[in-house]
Amino acid sequence: MATDPFAVAKEYFYRYAAPLELEKRYPRRDILEHLTTPDRSIEFRLTFQRDDDSNCVCQAYRVQFNDDRGPYKGGIRFHPVVDLAETKALAFWMYLKTAVVEIPFGGAKGGVAVDYQSLSLPEKERLTKRYAVVLLNDIGSQKDIPAPDVNTSEREMGWILDVWRMIHGLYDRAVVTGKPISIGGSQGRREATGRGVVITVAEAAKELGLRLDQASAAVQGFGNVGSVAASLLQQCGVQVRAVSDVGGGVMNEKGLDIPRLVEHVKSGQGVSSFPGGQAISREAVLSAKVDILVPAALEHAIMAENAPAIQATLIAEGANGPVGPDAMDILNEKGVTIIPDILCNAGGVTVSYFEWVQNRQEFYWPLERVNAELEQVMLRAYHAVSDLARREKVTLREAAYRIAITRVAEAAARRGVQ
Ligand code: NAD
């Protein structure tokens, strides 16, 4: 098994695409190569000025993987381990994700290899704006629409919109999604990914006969996705017993008080210093004795080494690619149900689509409408995947891949072969 994240992503794609016999269905084009090769990978040196007047040089990326079903769409990640292979894998999953939830976008991803959290606020703004300036001719509301990912948020999207407006002289709000509401963001976008995670957990729990008001959960990562998922799980009656962030974990057998933990983290502290629980290691959160585990940090959190210790019977992939390749087989053999990332965390890109629609119409929806439409999309996608999985006796991941691959292959074929 390959270790490069993009090579791993491709191996899974080939495995799940095999029964679809795409080459027989679409004989006039090399469909498998088309679906596994990025349309374009942009890699560039990004230099920005530090507060002490020195220059900082970083590697930056934007991968536009596939636009057969609509403009490229995908987040921007600022993190030290960002590289081209990871960005390609994330862009690859993005176009499969937009296909699973049937929204009219393709897939892209971008990032900068930088210790973003250590930068001052002016340095963060200079870096983000520099990134946007370099990519100015490659993004656009009909071309490629960035959004937040790890270490980026509404704030960074506002800065990118500002660059676009200054240089193009156009107030085209739909060039980015996940913006602040005051400049065209959508109600409910910030919470959308975590909300989508919990909608799929509730459906899977019904199918497994697990009552949420008697269930317990652990959440890895307490950023945008993890903190919202934890809050909403608790609102559904789930006892959230363990939570981690990059600095450590916290546990309370009787359930953590999530609103208080959110306030604690907002004040700039890590979860492990929360007085309402005992500090534990990050690793211990993954193997906590709970029914539901939500990995919502980074890729490959669960690998062959720690998979045997997992006690949860339901894993909801809030993060992209949190279950590594060898771990998947171990967990499948243990009978653990995994709601795959390309379905589970698709709520964010779904509400990004709603934001794009609202920007293009300049007509804004109330929160109730956003949440109701999100629920409809997530339920439709979940049940399409779960019905196929049951019918074909395959995992939810394989069913989600089959649905996504079929939709994109069909769109690619309809565009002709010349
Ligand atoms: P974020 O930057 O808001 O939060 C990341 C969290 O993970 C932080 O709490 C950080 O401390 C924690 N973390 C990092 N390394 C960790 C480790 N080793 N152990 C425990 N915690 C760790 O990022 P986010 O937007 O919440 O994204 C999290 C994941 O969800 C990523 O995989 C991202 O691609 C995926 N995702 C995000 C969105 C979105 O809308 N933001 C949408 C779909 C998927």
Side-chain angles (χ1 to χ4, degrees):
M1 177 70 69
T3 49
D4 162 330
F6 180 48
V8 171
K10 279 204 292 193
E11 280 185 34
Y12 275 91
F13 180 96
Y14 278 109
R15 190 193 286 188
Y16 298 143
L20 301 174
E21 301 189 316
L22 294 181
E23 277 154 324
K24 276 196 199 152
R25 276 159 77 177
Y26 305 109
R28 291 187 59 208
R29 53 188 306 160
D30 197 345
I31 191 75
L32 289 173
E33 191 176 343
H34 175 87
L35 295 176
T36 53
T37 315
D39 291 346
R40 218 148 74 95
S41 298
I42 307 166
E43 180 174 8
F44 55 99
R45 173 182 48 74
L46 188 148
T47 308
F48 68 98
Q49 197 181 22
R50 301 295 303 257
D51 292 340
D52 65 4
D53 263 357
S54 65
N55 277 342
C56 185
V57 180
C58 319
Q59 278 308 109
Y61 309 90
R62 182 78 185 165
V63 173
Q64 298 173 329
F65 208 107
N66 183 291
D67 69 346
D68 284 322
R69 297 182 56 263
Y72 302 109
K73 182 92 190 80
I76 297 175
R77 176 177 291 197
F78 294 156
H79 193 276
V81 304
V82 165
D83 63 19
L84 186 59
E86 183 197 66
T87 312
K88 280 186 186 172
L90 291 164
F92 189 35
W93 293 327
M94 248 348 263
Y95 92 75
L96 294 169
K97 190 182 303 184
T98 53
V100 171
V101 283
E102 265 192 304
I103 57 173
F105 288 137
K109 203 80 181 190
V112 179
V114 63
D115 183 4
Y116 194 63
Q117 285 184 351
S118 71
L119 303 181
S120 70
L121 188 63
E123 288 171 340
K124 285 178 175 161
E125 184 171 347
R126 283 198 290 276
L127 167 100
T128 306
K129 289 192 166 174
R130 194 83 191 174
Y131 180 79
V133 167
V134 176
L135 290 176
L136 213 66
N137 291 318
D138 302 295
I139 61 173
S141 60
Q142 296 293 317
K143 217 185 229 181
D144 180 359
I145 306 132
D149 191 72
V150 174
N151 285 331
T152 59
S153 65
E154 297 171 358
R155 181 182 64 189
E156 282 73 16
M157 298 307 115
W159 290 338
I160 295 174
L161 179 62
D162 186 53
V163 168
W164 180 270
R165 194 173 60 90
M166 277 194 296
I167 299 183
H168 284 309
L170 283 175
Y171 213 132
D172 184 4
R173 300 179 207 268
V175 65
V176 280
T177 58
K179 297 177 289 292
I181 288 177
S182 56
I183 50 174
S186 177
Q187 299 285 344
R189 170 61 185 90
R190 206 187 71 76
E191 299 80 15
T193 307
R195 183 172 291 279
V197 168
V198 175
I199 292 169
T200 62
V201 166
E203 292 311 294
K206 269 187 228 158
E207 293 181 345
L208 293 168
L210 176 68
R211 280 186 51 174
L212 289 186
D213 59 359
Q214 293 173 3
S216 54
V219 179
Q220 183 208 32
F222 206 66
N224 176 305
V225 181
S227 67
V228 174
S231 303
L232 295 177
L233 281 171
Q234 192 164 68
Q235 283 173 28
C236 294
V238 176
Q239 207 178 56
V240 181
R241 291 190 185 152
V243 161
S244 63
D245 63 16
V246 70
V250 64
M251 171 98 174
N252 185 331
E253 292 286 354
K254 295 196 176 124
L256 293 157
D257 181 339
I258 300 298
R260 269 187 59 217
L261 181 56
V262 167
E263 286 311 310
H264 177 81
V265 169
K266 264 193 199 154
S267 74
Q269 301 178 74
V271 297
S272 61
S273 61
F274 180 57
Q278 296 152 293
I280 56 170
S281 70
R282 287 189 324 205
E283 293 69 33
V285 170
L286 293 170
S287 55
K289 188 163 171 35
V290 290
D291 303 302
I292 304 162
L293 175 64
V294 183
L298 294 172
E299 298 90 82
H300 295 181
I302 303 171
M303 299 294 280
E305 302 75 52
N306 58 355
I310 303 276
Q311 303 200 58
T313 49
L314 175 61
I315 296 181
E317 293 188 331
N320 289 307
V323 177
D326 302 337
M328 266 183 228
D329 297 335
I330 296 171
L331 294 169
N332 289 339
E333 268 168 37
K334 278 175 75 165
V336 178
T337 299
I338 305 176
I339 310 172
D341 48 6
I342 59 170
L343 167 66
C344 187
N345 69 39
V349 74
T350 301
V351 176
S352 274
Y353 165 56
F354 299 160
E355 181 174 329
W356 181 80
V357 168
Q358 292 170 75
N359 291 154
R360 297 186 73 210
Q361 297 186 336
E362 289 295 355
F363 177 74
Y364 291 88
W365 306 355
L367 179 61
E368 296 69 33
R369 176 169 176 192
V370 173
N371 285 345
E373 302 251 5
L374 170 64
E375 187 169 10
Q376 217 177 3
V377 169
M378 294 303 298
L379 289 180
R380 189 183 59 205
Y382 180 86
H383 287 291
V385 169
S386 146
D387 291 352
L388 181 67
R390 207 170 306 113
R391 236 181 12 253
E392 295 287 316
K393 299 190 174 34
V394 295
T395 60
L396 292 174
R397 189 183 311 279
E398 180 156 358
Y401 269 74
R402 284 196 197 178
I403 288 173
I405 294 168
T406 305
R407 286 181 182 152
V408 185
E410 181 60 18
R414 293 288 159 235
R415 289 170 53 159
V417 289
Q418 299 304 326

